[in-house]
Amino acid sequence: MMSASLRLSHTWLRSNSRMCARALSSSSVHGMTPVGRTCQPLTVGVALPRNWFAPQIQTQVNRWMSSEKLTKALVEERVLTVCKVFDKITADKLTLESHFIKDLGLDSLDHVEIIMAIEDEFGFEIPDDQAEKLMTPGKIVQFVADHEDVYE
Amino acid sequence: MALFPQLSYETLIKPLFMLRQEVLKLYRSFLRTAYQLPDHKQRSDVVDWVRSDFKANRGIDPQNDEQIKSLLYNGQKMLQELRQSMDLASA
């Protein structure tokens, strides 16, 4: 099971890197390489546009890629924005403590999608056994803060 | 077991309560594959198709091993086909 998911993420990262490299090379000035735009696998997932990503997320992505320091408040803001953009969540019921399944009426498939969106937003993979415990935005914030060593 | 050669050995021997994890993994693999599509319209179409297929099978008896495994098998087959057609299209 472990090797299968590693293989999957490796394939995903590899093919995403190829796409990113193609995109970057097409937009670069002929004969010059853009400075500092090396294609590191973990950032590629964030750079790809998705059909339900709102523009707010793209600006936050750009801020992150310009290495603004992560604070807990910023993590909260981004996690809540990702949840708000999800079309099945009504924004007024969304709080840090609202349970995805019990309060917001989602099911486990929607939860998988939300976790994937969080992975793409912050640029790291979340293994399945830990992902299934992240049932409120607050827990996601805690998990991301722990992973990214954000103390505040 | 010989009926489902595509499913990995780990999947076949899994007890019932862990099959749920396999289903979620398959869903995630589908979505990851779909997000590689460059065309946004195609992407949302594929995502809608995957979602509706998974949700249509939501009501099946959770005790029914064989049915769940056969659905998983079909799903993995379709994922392979999706990946192959995407490779063909991007080549």
Side-chain angles (χ1 to χ4, degrees):
Chain A
M1 190 156 68
M2 182 58 132
S3 59
S5 60
L6 274 181
R7 246 183 287 129
L8 172 69
S9 49
H10 177 63
T11 319
W12 174 66
L13 289 174
R14 229 183 34 206
S15 49
N16 271 352
S17 310
R18 277 206 299 271
M19 276 182 72
C20 177
R22 252 185 273 136
L24 284 180
S25 62
S26 63
S27 60
S28 65
V29 176
H30 179 68
M32 287 174 23
T33 347
V35 172
R37 277 163 77 178
T38 50
C39 203
Q40 295 168 26
L42 278 182
T43 63
V44 172
V46 192
L48 287 179
R50 297 245 297 272
N51 54 355
W52 49 265
F53 263 10
Q56 303 98 288
I57 296 197
Q58 202 56 46
T59 57
Q60 288 178 353
V61 163
N62 293 336
R63 271 193 353 228
W64 175 67
M65 285 175 88
S66 67
S67 68
E68 176 176 296
K69 192 141 181 352
L70 260 188
T71 66
K72 192 132 189 218
L74 184 59
V75 171
E76 271 182 26
E77 190 192 327
R78 286 166 72 183
V79 167
L80 285 177
T81 312
V82 168
C83 295
K84 279 189 201 137
V85 172
F86 193 60
D87 48 1
K88 297 212 185 104
I89 293 188
T90 47
D92 45 354
K93 277 202 220 162
L94 179 70
T95 71
L96 275 180
E97 302 312 317
S98 46
H99 196 276
F100 288 126
I101 298 190
K102 293 187 208 155
D103 299 331
L104 299 170
L106 302 178
D107 62 9
S108 48
L109 297 179
D110 299 325
H111 181 246
V112 169
E113 281 184 57
I114 291 183
I115 296 294
M116 280 174 61
I118 300 284
E119 286 179 349
D120 289 345
E121 171 75 14
F122 291 100
F124 64 90
E125 289 249 337
I126 304 180
D128 290 336
D129 49 350
Q130 288 163 349
E132 65 175 2
K133 300 188 191 129
L134 305 176
M135 280 294 170
T136 75
K139 292 207 180 125
I140 297 181
V141 168
Q142 191 58 50
F143 183 82
V144 172
D146 291 340
H147 190 275
E148 301 289 304
D149 292 330
V150 172
Y151 301 110
E152 210 163 311
Chain B
M1 280 213 201
L3 282 177
F4 307 122
Q6 286 310 109
L7 283 179
S8 61
Y9 182 65
E10 292 95 9
T11 313
L12 284 173
I13 63 171
K14 267 198 170 46
L16 196 55
F17 63 92
M18 297 185 82
L19 283 179
R20 189 174 167 275
Q21 278 305 320
E22 290 297 312
V23 172
L24 294 179
K25 270 209 192 99
L26 184 64
Y27 188 66
R28 189 189 274 233
S29 321
F30 263 113
L31 291 184
R32 283 283 175 227
T33 314
Y35 289 157
Q36 290 171 18
L37 285 168
D39 181 13
H40 286 251
K41 183 75 177 46
Q42 271 184 334
R43 200 181 292 177
S44 52
D45 282 347
V46 171
V47 169
D48 287 339
W49 164 69
V50 169
R51 265 190 208 165
S52 58
D53 267 2
F54 269 80
K55 296 205 172 170
N57 288 320
R58 220 202 301 204
I60 62 178
D61 177 17
Q63 300 304 316
N64 192 345
D65 267 59
E66 292 302 316
Q67 194 181 7
I68 297 179
K69 282 179 187 163
S70 73
L71 286 171
L72 267 177
Y73 170 63
N74 288 337
Q76 284 177 356
K77 265 251 131 149
M78 285 201 248
L79 178 62
Q80 277 179 358
E81 284 176 14
L82 178 64
R83 282 200 186 134
Q84 279 168 5
S85 61
M86 278 175 56
D87 284 340
L88 276 176
S90 64

